[in-house]
Amino acid sequence: MNLTIEFNKAEIKSAFDWQLMQEINVKNNDGQIIAKAEVDIITLNKHRGADESYELLAQEGGTDWEVPLNVYFKKQNIAADLAEQLQVKTDTKAKNHILIEAISVLPEFRQKGVAKFLLNEIAQHYSKAQSISILSMPMHLFVDADDCETEENKAYYQALNLSESDANQEALTSFLTKSGFTNVAIDDSALEEPLLFKVFIASPQTIL
């Protein structure tokens, strides 16, 4: 099976030009979309680091960056211990960070290397990004297949049968770990309530 990757044009997600969103599709020989990722890309710099960026994003409403920016970022970089583990440098230059908001493969194409292909293509495309994060939770908790902006996406997510999905978090953890991601330990005692998801982080270097 020959796979092709399609990066849709990145668009400004909020009121800030340093936060972008992008849809990435994997197509098979017939041009059918068989896998998809939706990503957020933020740029941090020495004038607007993690704390400042989080405050601005929070003012716009809830943000999926809350845990990453408050837990494992320091200024415009990820924390030094994670940077060493992920084989990336910390310095004063502006840094791009990616949050994979949703990643999926149609049921009939799973266990065929499609998800790994998609992650590799993201890592190659954003080879200068300092971090790539995933908040791991069942998609039916945050994706409504009947409420998509395009008919193409609606058809795709309906085909996933999200409501019937028996998302195996153990299998997903194993896949992400083998794909170069590290599970970030979160101290639930410091939170108002336990997280509904696990947090994983990688870099282009560890994925590739």
Side-chain angles (χ1 to χ4, degrees):
M1 178 172 58
N2 294 320
L3 301 176
T4 57
I5 195 81
E6 179 183 82
F7 287 81
N8 290 352
K9 183 179 180 181
E11 300 177 353
I12 296 175
K13 181 172 183 176
S14 62
F16 313 113
D17 61 4
W18 45 267
Q19 182 187 24
L20 304 176
M21 61 180 181
Q22 187 175 43
E23 188 176 288
I24 304 159
N25 296 316
V26 176
K27 294 183 177 181
N28 63 7
N29 302 7
D30 301 322
Q32 176 191 8
I33 295 176
I34 63 170
K36 182 185 293 287
E38 297 180 28
V39 304
D40 250 23
I41 307 147
I42 59 172
T43 303
L44 306 184
N45 58 42
K46 62 182 179 180
H47 302 296
R48 191 200 62 256
D51 291 343
E52 295 87 352
S53 295
Y54 171 69
E55 288 300 323
L56 289 169
L57 292 173
Q59 289 171 19
E60 292 283 300
T63 172
D64 292 335
W65 286 98
E66 179 177 4
V67 171
L69 292 179
N70 283 291
V71 173
Y72 53 87
F73 277 76
K74 185 175 182 181
K75 298 183 178 179
Q76 71 269 30
N77 295 281
I78 54 173
D81 58 335
L82 273 179
E84 182 178 355
Q85 187 175 349
L86 299 178
Q87 306 164 37
V88 296
K89 295 180 180 179
T90 61
D91 54 40
T92 58
K93 296 179 181 179
K95 301 295 182 184
N96 288 335
H97 300 277
I98 295 171
L99 179 61
I100 298 178
E101 301 237 87
I103 183 168
S104 57
V105 179
L106 290 180
E108 61 267 36
F109 295 99
R110 292 172 187 167
Q111 306 298 322
K112 296 181 179 180
V114 178
K116 180 59 177 172
F117 169 80
L118 176 52
L119 288 174
N120 285 354
E121 290 294 320
I122 292 173
Q124 289 181 37
H125 190 78
Y126 287 105
S127 60
K128 294 184 179 179
Q130 192 186 61
S131 71
I132 300 174
S133 297
I134 289 180
L135 309 182
S136 171
M137 64 189 298
M139 287 186 68
H140 72 269
L141 296 178
F142 63 92
V143 173
D144 184 349
D146 295 322
D147 185 25
C148 295
E149 291 186 2
T150 67
E151 287 301 316
E152 184 180 57
N153 280 357
K154 183 177 179 179
Y156 173 83
Y157 283 117
Q158 286 178 339
L160 286 178
N161 296 319
L162 296 177
S163 61
E164 300 174 11
S165 174
D166 59 343
N168 186 325
Q169 290 299 298
E170 185 177 332
L172 183 57
T173 295
S174 175
F175 166 73
L176 290 174
T177 302
K178 291 177 181 178
S179 298
F181 284 81
T182 296
N183 184 200
V184 179
I186 305 294
D187 182 5
D188 283 345
S189 66
L191 305 173
E192 292 183 3
E193 57 184 35
L195 296 177
L196 297 174
F197 52 83
K198 290 184 177 181
V199 182
F200 294 86
I201 185 172
S203 69
Q205 290 86 332
T206 61
I207 291 175
L208 297 172

